[in-house]
Amino acid sequence: MNNDLTLGQCTYLEMIDTFRQATQDHFTEVPFGDYNLSLELNDAIYENAEREGHARFYVAFLGRDPVAYMSVFASEMSQHKGIMCAVTDSYYVVPEYRKDGIFGKLLAHVEQDIKSLGIRFLTIGHNPQYKGKTPELLLSEGYSVTEVAYTKEV
């Protein structure tokens, strides 16, 4: 099925125009805690980070159908001078394509691209409210658990 899978990089505006509904679906499926937040993308943050070279956006198409995206932010690590790290902002695979290996292929594409930019580490956040197999896949791909985050509204 993946023989016509196309992976690529795009601009923020191209990604959000293509995946606007998927972004909403993702937020509905995996909200940020129980804080009753509405999804309201801050385009200026994404566009500024992209313009400064600190954000990259990746997409996967199966034929003409958009099936997955990933956005990452990159910066020099504050406690490890000279070492670059990228962190996922968000990633999503359309539900009907989640058993097709698309996330792993998109992830490999992202890893290859950021490595070519001199980025040494990729940190992938995982919302525990999502009950999929992402942690198992990441561990099988050589990722390690480096920290667990906790959030409180103050």
Side-chain angles (χ1 to χ4, degrees):
M1 177 177 217
N2 288 346
N3 56 356
D4 57 347
L5 181 68
T6 304
L7 304 168
Q9 186 199 349
C10 64
T11 67
Y12 167 71
L13 290 177
E14 290 169 335
M15 184 190 79
I16 205 62
D17 284 346
T18 303
F19 287 97
R20 188 167 303 277
Q21 183 58 51
T23 302
Q24 182 60 55
D25 294 344
H26 178 208
F27 185 79
T28 300
E29 181 181 1
V30 188
F32 183 75
D34 295 320
Y35 298 110
N36 197 28
L37 298 173
S38 61
L39 179 64
E40 195 172 340
L41 297 174
N42 189 333
D43 295 338
I45 287 176
Y46 289 101
E47 291 168 346
N48 289 337
E50 181 176 32
R51 188 173 33 261
E52 296 295 322
H54 297 291
R56 306 232 348 144
F57 306 94
Y58 303 90
V59 291
F61 287 86
L62 196 55
R64 301 179 70 99
D65 297 330
V67 295
Y69 69 83
M70 181 178 287
S71 59
V72 300
F73 284 87
S75 66
E76 185 175 349
M77 297 176 78
S78 60
Q79 297 176 2
H80 307 286
K81 188 175 181 179
I83 306 294
M84 294 293 294
C85 180
V87 177
T88 55
D89 172 62
S90 97
Y91 54 92
Y92 182 75
V93 177
V94 175
E96 54 265 31
Y97 299 102
R98 290 188 181 159
K99 304 241 187 253
D100 294 337
I102 291 171
F103 178 73
K105 288 178 174 53
L106 180 60
L107 182 59
H109 177 77
V110 171
E111 290 173 353
Q112 181 179 23
D113 182 61
I114 65 173
K115 185 175 183 177
S116 76
L117 299 171
I119 296 171
R120 184 169 168 188
F121 296 101
L122 176 59
T123 298
I124 299 180
H126 173 71
N127 186 325
Q129 291 183 359
Y130 174 67
K131 302 302 182 198
K133 303 229 179 254
T134 306
E136 292 87 350
L137 172 68
L138 294 173
L139 291 170
S140 74
E141 292 295 324
Y143 285 80
S144 59
V145 177
T146 53
E147 63 181 60
V148 176
Y150 295 89
T151 302
K152 176 183 177 183
E153 188 169 2
V154 293

